[in-house]
Structure formats: structure tokens, C-alpha cells
Amino acid sequence: MSPAQPDGQPWDLRGVLLPQLAEASADRPLSIYVHIPFCQVRCGYCDFNTYTVGFGPGADRVSYDSSALAEMRLAARILSDAQMPARPASSIFFGGGTPTLLDPAALARLLEGIRQNFGIAPGAEVTVEANPESVDEAVLESLREAGFTRVSFGMQSAVPTVLRTLDRRHDPTKLPGLVLAARQLGLDVSVDLIYGAPGESLQDWEVSLREAIAMEPDHISAYALVIEEGTKMGAQVARGELPMPDPDDEASKYEIADRLLGEAGYVWYEISNFARRESGEEGPSTQLRHASKHNLAYWRDWDWWGFGPGAHSHVGRYRWWNVKHPSAYAQRVTQGFSPAQAGEILDAQTREMERVLLAVRTSEGVDAPRAGAERDTFLQALPTLASEGLIESAPAAQGRAIVTLQGRLLADYVTRCLLGY
Ligand SMILES: C[S@@+](CC[C@H](N)C(=O)[O-])C[C@H]1O[C@@H](n2cnc3c(N)ncnc32)[C@H](O)[C@@H]1O
Ligand code: SF4
């Protein structure tokens, strides 16, 4: 289960990238994502590509690393054949699914595979997502020793009834100890929160935020619950058993998050992401020590290779995505074929549009497209958006859109105005 991949065009079975379209450049950093497609149970709201069972050799929890390692070897060859200069990974993210369902030794082998095939840049951010119920101090220590520098805990809420609605299994009282252990090990710590679950009151949300802040993580992500079609929760909402999240309630919760996190020293650098500002630390919030480099790589349209079933990759003008099922994936990579299912070659207009879509969500904001009708549309929208209080006035006068708090609440509308649709 989880939604279908986009259509795209069929992909070369060897995964060949042409140098002129891969846009070889040593200046554009390379980021790496490793997808771990397994979970203990399926949370009712989640539509990520993840499975609670294994599918045999190369596609189960004990042997999956061998498949991802095979894709890494293939990727290194493809990039070298495309005449890409060697670029050690500047950020790495192990996500899921539940990466911590794999043995830490398997996660260490995967990280070693990245080191051997691509190299890891000095000071690279190396994150692993961890579900609180699947880690303990010993696991955290092994991950630290293997070279992970950052752990992102799926906290979601501190309120037991909300956790139950979300089908989360962890005991919220265990998380503070885990966060403390991770910090004492020298890991950077992030926690993910979700707001807007059916039945969650404003007070529940405030409790979750205060509990998260009390753990003093370096970074907090706060996501509005999205009701995804094809999920258990999507069906419950469709049948009227659960209410659809109320946009006004979600807006109030975002405002509470912005206020409480701001008071506690966390600064927004992307709509859903807040980094702790160290004392004496200055400069734009996207450059804060604790702002996720990996997140920023996506938003800046740099190159990234996503390993694993269903993972998406982007190199120069290429974008492609892998087959979704773990056994189809394992079969392809063990036979030496690319696991790419399909992809597309991005034209300048699409890239420009995506640049606006992503950058508008960051505190850096977004400049007008360089030329064409898109530039005119963008520039014409600025004065109105500024007068509506949705973007800051001074940067708007210089052709740049930086969303205000009000604009963050209406980011989709701001984007539509800037792109003219
Ligand atoms: C896909 S999960 C993977 C990490 C880990 N398995 C976990 O659940 O904590 C990554 C994050 O995506 C967010 N997420 C997943 N589904 C979501 C949804 N439908 N709406 C909002 N956020 C969601 C959650 O905050 C979660 O921590
Ligand atoms: S544990 Fe995370 S990835 Fe797995 S189903 Fe729940 S939200 Fe999705």
C-alpha cells in the first residue's frame, strides 16, 4: 500500500545518464537518501512506501542491506560513466519506514557502502530516523560509532490519546531519556511532531510542544496531519467515522507552535522546520548549525540519489524513481539492473517552477525567475501579496518573496499567485 508512483517515461535498464543532461559539476553537492521500507505496524495516517512483512532474500529486514549496497555500487558506476566528478556525500539521510528496525550492524554496513562508493564529506550531516520503540541507548551508541551524527525521533505527540489515534505504539515517557542519551553521545537530535489529529485539542498540542521543548532537541519538525487517500485514516474520514482536519484549527496550532518554539529559541527556516539557535549564533536561520543540511539540499535543487524501493533521485536535469515493491527492487539490483521504474528530463521552465515551489517555503525566500512571462507574473504578484501581509514588504520591493507568519499559513495560495495559476 501507498500511492502509485508518477507515470514518467520508461527508464534505461542500465540506468545510463548522459553527461550533458547530468550536468556534471563539482560545485553542486551530492546528497544521499537511503530508504528502509519496513515498519513494525502500519500507522493509520501514513502512506509512505513501507511494509510490515519481508519478501525473501534481499527484500526482508535481515538481508535488505545487500540490495541497497548493490544499488550503491551501480550508482557509483553510472555517475562515473556520466563523467560526474567524484563528490563525497555532503548530507546523508536514512529514512523510512523504520530504519531502526534493521540491525545497527546493517545500518553501519550501508553507511560504509556510501563511504566506499562515494566518500563522505568532512562535517557531513548523517541522519537516521528512529521510532522511539525500536531504539535504546545501546543502539544509539552503535549508530554513533558507525558514523551517524544526527537522529530524528518520531515523537508525533506527547499525549497518549492522540498517539493512539495515530496508531503510535511508543510510551511517550521513554522519549526524554532517549533524547538525553543521544545528546550525551554527541548526536544532534531532531523530533518530529504532527498536529491536527482527530480529537486533538489546542491544549493537547501545547502539551506536546512543551514536552518536546523540555527535551531540548536541536531541531523540531511540526507537520500538519495530511489525510492521505488509500490509508486506514483516509477511509475512516471518508466513511465519516473521523472528522477531516479543520484548517482553522490547524492554523491556530501552527501559530501556537511558532510562538512557543520562538520563545524557546527555535527559529523557523522552512515552514515545518525549526532549528535551535545557539547562544551567540547569528546569521540567516537557514545557515544555523542545527538547520538540516539534508532538507536544504532538497529545497535548493541540488543533486541527490535515493536508494531503495520507491526512492526518488535527481541529478542535473534528470529525475527518476525506483520500483516500489521490495522484491521487484531486490530482483533488479541483484541482476545488475537499475531499479528505476521511470523518470523524466526536466526542462528549464519546470525547474524554475519547482525552485519557486520549494524556496518559497524557506526563510530565505525566493527570487523572481530570471526571464520570461514567469518573471513578469512573479513580479506583478509581489505588491499585492505584500499589501495582504503575506510576504515581507522590503524584500518584495527588491523582487524577492519571503513569507510572513500569515503567509506561512497560506503558503499554497502565495505559491499560486507567484506562479500565476
Ligand atoms: C514517514 S515517517 C518515517 C519515520 C518513522 N517511521 C516515524 O514514523 O517516526 C517521517 C515523518 O513523516 C511524518 N508523516 C508521515 N505521514 C504523515 C501524514 N500523513 N501527515 C503528516 N505528517 C506525516 C511524521 O511526522 C513522521 O515522523
Ligand atoms: S512508523 Fe513511520 S513510516 Fe512506519 S507506518 Fe508509521 S509513520 Fe509510516
Side-chain angles (χ1 to χ4, degrees), residues 79-104:
L79 288 175
S80 144
D81 290 350
Q83 293 161 26
M84 297 297 283
R87 289 176 297 172
S90 60
S91 72
I92 299 170
F93 194 98
F94 281 49
T98 306
T100 42
L101 270 190
L102 295 199
D103 187 331

Side-chain angles (χ1 to χ4, degrees), residues 104-162:
L107 296 173
R109 282 195 292 279
L110 287 167
L111 192 52
E112 186 52 31
I114 294 173
R115 192 172 282 118
Q116 281 175 8
N117 286 291
F118 307 94
I120 299 178
E125 176 187 278
V126 187
T127 304
V128 58
E129 283 184 331
N131 284 38
E133 71 278 10
S134 62
V135 276
D136 56 23
E137 283 188 43
V139 168
L140 291 171
E141 198 169 345
S142 310
L143 295 173
R144 178 77 186 111
E145 268 167 27
F148 288 91
T149 65
R150 186 170 180 269
V151 60
S152 172
F153 289 109
M155 173 181 177
Q156 319 310 354
S157 171
V159 178
T161 51
V162 177

Side-chain angles (χ1 to χ4, degrees), residues 110-379:
L110 287 167
L111 192 52
E112 186 52 31
I114 294 173
R115 192 172 282 118
Q116 281 175 8
N117 286 291
F118 307 94
I120 299 178
E125 176 187 278
V126 187
T127 304
V128 58
E129 283 184 331
N131 284 38
E133 71 278 10
S134 62
V135 276
D136 56 23
E137 283 188 43
V139 168
L140 291 171
E141 198 169 345
S142 310
L143 295 173
R144 178 77 186 111
E145 268 167 27
F148 288 91
T149 65
R150 186 170 180 269
V151 60
S152 172
F153 289 109
M155 173 181 177
Q156 319 310 354
S157 171
V159 178
T161 51
V162 177
L163 287 171
R164 264 200 300 283
T165 307
L166 293 172
D167 289 332
R168 301 295 295 195
R169 293 156 55 92
H170 64 268
D171 171 358
T173 60
K174 290 229 171 93
L175 193 56
L178 285 172
V179 169
L180 183 65
R183 294 180 63 218
Q184 284 172 344
L185 284 164
L187 290 161
D188 252 48
V189 176
S190 179
V191 298
D192 281 0
L193 292 171
I194 290 184
Y195 57 94
E200 181 192 54
S201 65
L202 292 180
Q203 202 198 349
D204 289 337
W205 175 233
E206 207 171 312
V207 167
S208 294
L209 283 164
R210 288 193 190 281
E211 297 274 325
I213 290 166
M215 294 188 285
E216 298 181 32
D218 303 295
H219 184 277
I220 297 180
S221 301
Y223 300 112
L225 177 69
V226 178
I227 302 296
E228 305 281 4
E229 234 179 277
T231 60
K232 180 179 123 192
M233 191 174 269
Q236 289 169 313
V237 170
R239 288 196 299 266
E241 292 163 17
L242 287 176
M244 192 70 179
D246 168 12
D248 291 337
D249 175 70
E250 291 199 324
S252 303
K253 285 175 178 165
Y254 186 84
E255 283 171 338
I256 293 173
D258 189 65
R259 178 170 54 79
L260 293 184
L261 293 174
E263 284 167 9
Y266 293 85
V267 193
W268 82 281
Y269 66 97
E270 194 270 351
I271 291 178
S272 307
N273 288 281
F274 298 78
R276 187 159 58 78
R277 195 188 279 279
E278 293 284 0
S279 66
E281 206 182 5
E282 287 177 9
S285 53
T286 47
Q287 283 166 31
L288 290 179
R289 201 177 115 198
H290 298 303
S292 163
K293 320 285 169 294
H294 194 77
N295 283 347
L296 289 164
Y298 289 138
W299 302 326
R300 289 188 173 142
D301 196 29
W302 287 342
D303 288 353
W304 72 85
W305 197 297
F307 294 98
H312 287 228
S313 300
H314 170 259
V315 174
R317 289 183 56 194
Y318 286 107
R319 175 165 57 202
W320 69 94
W321 43 91
N322 286 349
V323 290
K324 286 188 71 177
H325 200 277
S327 58
Y329 171 80
Q331 221 168 15
R332 290 260 202 121
V333 291
T334 48
Q335 289 171 0
F337 293 124
S338 159
Q341 174 188 305
E344 56 194 336
I345 294 163
L346 303 166
D347 59 27
Q349 202 184 0
T350 311
R351 283 178 91 176
E352 206 42 36
M353 209 171 90
E354 293 191 352
R355 182 182 69 84
V356 174
L357 269 167
L358 294 170
V360 76
R361 297 179 57 86
T362 69
S363 56
E364 277 174 4
V366 60
D367 280 329
R370 254 167 259 127
E374 293 82 16
R375 179 176 171 82
D376 298 340
T377 307
F378 187 103
L379 291 175

